[in-house]
Amino acid sequence: MHHLVAQHMDDSALRIQMQHLIRSLNPEGMVALQFAAPLATRETGAAVHSASFEEIVTGGFVRTPDELVEIVQSVGGVVSALLPREQWSKSSCQFWVAQIGRSFQKSSSKN
């Protein structure tokens, strides 16, 4: 699922989409989601959102990796890897890929 889809979804719509994707996975299946995240500043380490960049280039929904993990976990999924991929020159955004799978509860064995 490419960021060109997810970036146009608010958190509620992305939760619904992720819930459907995760539910449709085979037990050991994975989905890869590329998403746009704001860059952290060197001084503070905090992500800085640029309204003009987000609204014009990404559609307005740029999420930090932690925000994406929270969305995935809230619908029963697990992020098994977060991979930084690329940064556009002169932008306030970096693109990441998240590997997402199902979250399983350990079942008790019956002997």
Side-chain angles (χ1 to χ4, degrees), residues 15-37:
R15 275 188 173 85
I16 292 167
Q17 182 67 39
M18 293 308 305
Q19 185 175 28
H20 290 296
L21 283 170
I22 291 165
R23 187 176 55 212
S24 70
L25 290 173
N26 289 331
E28 295 178 10
M30 293 279 219
V31 63
L33 168 67
Q34 181 177 344
F35 67 101

Side-chain angles (χ1 to χ4, degrees), residues 62-77:
V62 174
R63 296 171 178 90
T64 66
D66 288 341
E67 290 169 332
L68 181 74
V69 168
E70 186 279 321
I71 288 171
V72 170
Q73 289 176 341
S74 75
V75 296

Side-chain angles (χ1 to χ4, degrees), residues 25-96:
L25 290 173
N26 289 331
E28 295 178 10
M30 293 279 219
V31 63
L33 168 67
Q34 181 177 344
F35 67 101
L39 289 177
T41 64
R42 291 178 194 219
E43 296 80 21
T44 66
V48 176
H49 292 267
S50 168
S52 61
F53 179 78
E54 292 169 13
E55 292 171 6
I56 295 168
V57 178
T58 66
F61 297 102
V62 174
R63 296 171 178 90
T64 66
D66 288 341
E67 290 169 332
L68 181 74
V69 168
E70 186 279 321
I71 288 171
V72 170
Q73 289 176 341
S74 75
V75 296
V78 62
V79 176
S80 60
L82 283 168
L83 310 166
R85 302 313 284 171
E86 65 181 314
Q87 176 185 343
W88 293 348
S89 64
K90 299 182 182 181
S91 79
S92 61
C93 188
Q94 181 175 22
F95 294 93
W96 290 70

